[in-house]
Amino acid sequence: MKLVYIVQPFMIRQVRVNYLLCTQDTWDKIELACTELGWNKSEIVKQMLHGFFARDLKESQFYAKAGIADAEARGMTEAEYFRTLRDDKEPQLLPYVSGRPVFGQSPIDTIPPLPTDEDLRRKYNTIGLSAYNYVLLRVAQIVHDSSFVQIVSRMLVKHLQDSWETSYRPQIERDQNCRFL
């Protein structure tokens, strides 16, 4: 059986962020991953966000479950809620029927909101995300009641905390030491 993939124009979403909030350590890791692993800066952030959401779906499914809970609390079907977040530039979600749900501990709750100081702002442009991850990012914005810049920046920090030592650093060291293992 041959699988056929139909690519529709609405599948990729562009998220505009004028800057990311990164400590020098985080930014150094991002730049090192770019120079040593062949990523460009526009692609590395996309890759890191996809990695963040992949880990979340594998471990806790927090943002997917939060989306379902938020839809139910608004009296919306899951599909209606999903389509609204995915397709509407300014989503018109229904008001909560009986209050905002308690979402619980999120994967980025251990990362405090980052200061918006000028010296932590790293110029950026747009991040291309799959429609699914874009919806998860919008759910995160609802859960954390924060800006895309703040949420994306915290997710990058969390992704690097979880993956630097197991994924990025070993590749860099193997290359620098000319070793396969």
Side-chain angles (χ1 to χ4, degrees):
M1 170 184 255
K2 183 178 178 182
L3 291 177
V4 176
Y5 294 94
I6 299 171
V7 179
Q8 298 177 359
F10 61 81
M11 298 308 285
I12 300 299
R13 293 289 186 261
Q14 298 294 326
V15 177
R16 177 102 172 115
V17 289
N18 293 328
Y19 59 88
L20 299 169
L21 298 169
C22 295
T23 63
Q24 191 61 50
D25 179 59
T26 299
W27 194 246
D28 288 346
K29 286 178 179 173
I30 290 171
E31 287 188 321
L32 188 60
C34 289
T35 57
E36 294 291 327
L37 301 176
W39 292 96
N40 63 46
K41 283 190 186 138
S42 65
E43 293 295 315
I44 191 75
V45 172
K46 174 172 57 173
Q47 185 273 334
M48 289 178 165
L49 286 176
H50 282 277
F52 173 86
F53 285 123
R55 180 184 292 264
D56 178 58
L57 283 169
K58 182 178 178 185
E59 292 178 357
S60 70
Q61 301 174 333
F62 176 84
Y63 292 105
K65 290 176 181 176
I68 293 167
D70 199 57
E72 288 172 358
R74 294 173 187 274
M76 298 175 77
T77 68
E78 182 179 344
E80 177 186 24
Y81 180 86
F82 190 98
R83 277 192 298 272
T84 300
L85 291 180
R86 183 191 67 193
D87 300 340
D88 296 350
K89 190 165 178 73
E90 295 294 325
Q92 300 300 312
L93 297 171
L94 296 176
Y96 290 112
V97 174
S98 57
R100 179 180 158 94
V102 175
F103 295 109
Q105 179 83 20
S106 86
I108 63 171
D109 281 349
T110 59
I111 311 298
L114 298 156
T116 57
D117 302 346
E118 220 31 67
D119 61 326
L120 294 181
R121 292 181 183 194
R122 313 299 174 174
K123 287 182 108 178
Y124 212 72
N125 194 356
T126 57
I127 303 165
L129 293 174
S130 67
Y132 181 74
N133 283 344
Y134 175 75
V135 170
L136 291 177
L137 185 59
R138 286 198 125 161
V139 169
Q141 189 177 27
I142 292 165
V143 167
H144 299 290
D145 192 24
S146 190
S147 68
F148 278 137
V149 169
Q150 189 65 240
I151 292 166
V152 167
S153 298
R154 291 171 67 196
M155 287 176 174
L156 293 178
V157 171
K158 178 66 173 151
H159 176 74
L160 287 170
Q161 279 182 356
D162 292 344
S163 302
W164 183 258
E165 293 298 321
T166 57
S167 295
Y168 295 90
R169 186 174 171 183
Q171 290 180 68
I172 292 167
E173 287 178 349
R174 287 182 197 121
D175 178 56
Q176 290 173 344
N177 295 323
C178 299
R179 310 273 311 196
F180 290 106
L181 298 174

